[in-house]
Amino acid sequence: MGVSEGFSPAILKNFMSSESANESSADADRGLVARAQQGDTAAFDQLVVKYSPRLYGMIYHMTSNKEDANDLMQDVFAKAFRSLSRFRGKSSFYTWIYAIGTNMTLNFLKKRKRRAAWSLDELDSGIQNDDAMVDIAHFANPRHQSDVNELQKRLNEAMQSLSDDHRAVVTMFDIQGIPHAEISKILKVSEGTVRSRLFYAHQQLQGYLEEFIK
Amino acid sequence: MSEQETQVQKLIRLKRFEQPRDGYFEDFLKEFQSRRDGEVASRPSTFSAASRVSDLLRGMTSGKWVFGAGVAYAALLVIVLSWPEGPEARPDASRQPIIFEPKQPIKKPVNPPKTPVPNPGP
């Protein structure tokens, strides 16, 4: 399925949702999960609608490929649907589905490396001509009116230069705004490990993006 | 956090504005529903029962396992003890027991004469 990148301020607002909203959201999820466990597919569909934008963001930024992101997200929700009866509610549905998505994406990336057919030429570059992207790029770095094409390319290369584990924390924390504590639950590592990975990832990214931050 | 690290974060955050085209998620849901319906339709009828048993067992704690194993053992014992005897379990009247009869009388072994053991004196 082809997907062209573009800006969506409405979806952007979803990323900025507050903690309290997350709490009530978790309550609503419990109800939907309970109904879905009883065989109500419409309830599961509501969960898909709710979480597919965020999950897509995570998978897309991990893979840097929209077709892979689409296929993986289909697999993630299919697996979640099959495994829903085993979901006991020890964590929130959000954490659970994110953990499934992260694990499947990391496994996919390992296989893709083994295939060795991957090249950076396949990276998406759909937003490079978007006016809003140009404005935001200039706002982020007013001293350097950088070429957006170059910035987009360098950002993708910088992300791909990271190890899968480091890219996962950068994607979740820097791009998606997920707190350290939540990332540690999703990845099943300590918060210290999350912070450490972020620190080393930022160090590495500085080297790649040096020309844009001086 | 250093100024450079903050700048890196600002640049990386630009990627959050990369979004799929309008209507993508609606199409995604339709595709998912179609796939799910196909999977459910192709699922064998035994799958549902097997998955329920699997879920039941997975949900059991260790105490329940011990109790379940005890009940299963007791049930098995009752079945074995109350099992009705079949025709092959009864003795066959037509079959006589084989009695071994030696052709020559068996000689008794000759024991050496007992000699009185001297009783040690006090």
Side-chain angles (χ1 to χ4, degrees):
Chain A
M1 172 181 271
V3 184
S4 64
E5 304 306 316
F7 284 105
S8 174
I11 292 175
L12 177 64
K13 282 181 186 172
N14 290 339
F15 289 111
M16 310 298 185
S17 56
S18 65
E19 281 294 314
S20 58
N22 286 342
E23 286 298 317
S24 60
S25 168
D27 289 340
D29 287 356
R30 273 191 280 276
L32 289 172
V33 167
R35 281 170 50 199
Q37 284 176 328
Q38 298 298 315
D40 184 347
T41 53
F44 191 80
D45 288 347
Q46 286 187 50
L47 291 166
V48 173
V49 168
K50 186 174 179 180
Y51 289 110
S52 51
R54 277 185 264 186
L55 210 53
Y56 177 86
M58 191 272 289
I59 298 172
Y60 170 72
H61 293 301
M62 288 286 287
T63 59
S64 288
N65 183 284
K66 56 206 174 200
E67 281 79 20
D68 287 344
N70 182 69
D71 293 347
L72 262 169
M73 202 160 71
Q74 286 285 346
D75 292 345
V76 168
F77 280 113
K79 184 173 184 180
F81 182 72
R82 287 194 299 267
S83 313
L84 197 64
S85 58
R86 295 202 289 274
F87 176 65
R88 301 288 170 208
K90 288 177 184 171
S91 64
S92 66
F93 179 80
Y94 165 76
T95 305
W96 184 71
I97 192 87
Y98 242 79
I100 293 175
T102 309
N103 287 333
M104 288 181 76
T105 305
L106 290 172
N107 286 337
F108 169 81
L109 291 171
K110 278 180 200 162
K111 285 179 194 165
R112 190 166 74 177
K113 271 182 195 158
R114 280 201 293 271
R115 285 204 305 269
W118 173 246
S119 110
L120 283 175
D121 295 339
E122 294 177 48
L123 291 172
D124 286 334
S125 55
I127 66 166
Q128 61 200 18
N129 297 320
D130 195 306
D131 292 340
M133 176 65 178
V134 175
D135 292 342
I136 288 163
H138 291 171
F139 174 77
N141 195 350
R143 285 177 296 174
H144 298 270
Q145 300 290 299
S146 309
D147 176 41
V148 176
N149 292 3
E150 184 60 21
L151 175 59
Q152 166 78 2
K153 190 181 169 203
R154 293 292 283 172
L155 281 173
N156 281 336
E157 284 176 359
M159 285 294 284
Q160 289 300 315
S161 74
L162 300 174
S163 73
D164 296 340
D165 289 336
H166 285 92
R167 197 177 328 119
V169 290
V170 167
T171 299
M172 285 189 246
F173 183 77
D174 290 326
I175 302 176
Q176 301 208 285
I178 300 173
H180 293 118
E182 196 66 32
I183 297 171
S184 79
K185 284 182 200 167
I186 292 166
L187 294 176
K188 294 186 174 63
V189 295
S190 69
E191 275 191 59
T193 303
V194 172
R195 288 173 196 275
S196 163
R197 284 181 186 174
L198 266 176
F199 176 78
Y200 285 107
H202 288 161
Q203 295 283 312
Q204 198 175 333
L205 289 171
Q206 275 179 32
Y208 263 89
L209 301 169
E210 209 171 12
E211 61 189 284
F212 296 99
I213 57 177
K214 273 184 180 173
Chain B
M1 191 178 285
S2 70
E3 176 64 24
Q4 280 199 333
E5 197 175 357
T6 311
Q7 287 292 320
V8 165
Q9 283 188 299
K10 277 184 182 173
L11 286 172
I12 290 296
R13 276 187 202 130
L14 291 174
K15 286 185 71 63
R16 69 171 60 168
F17 298 103
E18 294 179 30
Q19 294 293 329
R21 62 169 169 77
D22 288 342
Y24 166 72
F25 292 110
E26 287 79 2
D27 292 343
F28 173 82
L29 179 64
K30 283 177 194 162
E31 193 183 336
F32 172 73
Q33 287 169 330
S34 166
R35 175 180 170 165
R36 180 181 58 199
D37 293 347
E39 280 186 14
V40 169
S42 64
R43 198 177 283 176
S45 58
T46 51
F47 180 86
S48 179
S51 67
R52 282 183 186 181
V53 170
S54 166
D55 290 342
L56 179 71
L57 294 177
R58 198 172 284 109
M60 282 186 165
T61 58
S62 59
K64 286 180 181 173
W65 270 109
V66 171
F67 177 75
V71 169
Y73 179 74
L76 189 68
L77 203 65
V78 168
I79 290 168
V80 168
L81 292 177
S82 62
W83 194 264
E85 286 188 358
E88 61 279 356
R90 292 178 192 141
D92 190 350
S94 64
R95 298 177 75 182
Q96 297 298 321
I98 299 168
I99 299 168
F100 176 72
E101 291 179 0
K103 291 178 180 176
Q104 293 178 350
I106 298 169
K107 289 181 181 176
K108 285 186 179 177
V110 180
N111 292 330
K114 289 181 181 176
T115 54
V117 179
N119 197 10

